[in-house]
Amino acid sequence: MSTLHTDLSAYYTSRAAISDNVYAQPDRQQEFAILRERAAALVQGQNVLELACGSGYWTGALAETASFVLATDNNPLMLQAAQARDLPQQKVQLAQIDAFELDLANDYSACFAGFFWAHVKREQQTDLLARIRQIVGKDGLLILIDDNYLEEDTAPVARTDAEGNTYQIETLADGERYEYVKNFPTDSALRKKFAGVAKDIRILRLQHTWLLSCRLK
């Protein structure tokens, strides 16, 4: 049996060529259209810090209305994929930055992360939110988009650790196996987590995905 890898960045490097496949799934097109429209409306006129931008799918939606988007990712292959996308150069800048090592000037009024929060361990969440708060400031906008757990459509949870984080295992086309954190918070869990650090918490729960928006205190 192949080695079970646990490096999330290595996982995304290995699947870089298929990273956009999820956005082509027919049963998700309506949801993605709703989410793109909602995200674009929320960031209108804002300077946006995007975390874990991946191939730049959400970057394009943000750039439709935002004043400026700094799209960051710690994976150079993902940034290359984003660079190849037709993004407006006058409004979008790409940068290799690890979300867990954020240290930027307070030049942003909003932060967006698509399909990243699920990979943030529970014990890392408070620190990450504090780093975001330092950058976007009081009343800064935070927007998160992520997956729901669906019995018929989601890989089974392989294990749960002592902190309550859940993990999935995926075998890629090359036969390599990866284990990674993938949490699926309920609305109540999200509200409990953000109640102390945010206000105006709003959650849109669709069939496959959810969107949370809030203002940091």
Side-chain angles (χ1 to χ4, degrees):
M1 182 176 292
S2 62
T3 301
L4 184 61
H5 304 286
T6 57
D7 186 317
L8 185 63
S9 183
Y11 165 72
Y12 276 103
T13 295
S14 295
R15 69 186 308 278
I18 61 170
S19 61
D20 269 0
N21 284 6
V22 64
Y23 299 118
Q25 294 179 4
D27 60 341
R28 294 198 177 198
Q29 295 311 300
Q30 184 176 6
E31 284 194 23
F32 287 145
I34 292 170
L35 294 172
R36 286 176 65 93
E37 182 178 2
R38 181 67 64 91
L42 286 168
V43 302
Q44 184 172 6
Q46 308 259 13
N47 287 340
V48 182
L49 167 64
E50 182 183 7
L51 306 181
C53 69
S55 66
Y57 176 86
W58 298 107
T59 313
L62 302 173
E64 290 177 7
T65 61
S67 293
F68 177 75
V69 181
L70 176 64
T72 68
D73 202 291
N74 72 340
N75 191 310
L77 277 184
M78 291 289 91
L79 290 171
Q80 287 179 23
Q83 186 70 53
R85 197 178 287 275
D86 187 22
L87 299 171
Q89 295 184 3
Q90 71 278 12
K91 296 176 68 174
V92 175
Q93 179 181 342
L94 302 174
Q96 186 174 348
I97 297 175
D98 190 318
F100 299 107
E101 298 177 1
L102 288 174
D103 185 16
L104 299 170
N106 185 9
D107 295 331
Y108 303 90
S109 54
C111 178
F112 173 90
F115 298 108
F116 174 62
W117 185 254
H119 295 313
V120 180
K121 293 182 179 181
R122 292 185 174 194
E123 59 269 31
Q124 295 174 310
Q125 292 173 357
T126 298
D127 179 68
L128 177 61
L129 289 172
R131 288 176 181 270
I132 294 171
R133 168 63 173 78
Q134 286 184 327
I135 294 168
V136 301
K138 184 177 184 297
D139 294 326
L141 174 67
L142 174 62
I143 306 166
L144 303 176
I145 290 175
D146 230 304
D147 285 317
N148 294 329
Y149 184 85
L150 300 174
E151 289 286 349
E152 70 280 7
D153 192 45
T154 306
V157 171
R159 70 180 178 93
T160 303
D161 68 17
E163 299 293 335
N165 298 296
T166 53
Y167 294 76
Q168 292 179 324
I169 295 175
E170 184 173 346
T171 302
L172 300 183
D174 61 4
E176 294 298 317
R177 299 167 66 241
Y178 292 85
E179 180 187 73
Y180 51 86
V181 174
K182 190 68 181 286
N183 290 317
F184 299 94
T186 62
D187 286 7
S188 59
L190 287 168
R191 291 186 181 280
K192 182 178 180 180
K193 181 64 190 180
F194 285 88
V197 298
K199 57 186 179 181
D200 298 334
I201 301 169
R202 301 182 184 187
I203 301 172
L204 172 65
R205 183 75 64 165
L206 303 175
Q207 180 183 0
H208 296 94
T209 51
W210 54 265
L211 181 151
L212 177 146
S213 64
C214 62
R215 295 281 178 180
L216 297 177
K217 294 180 180 178

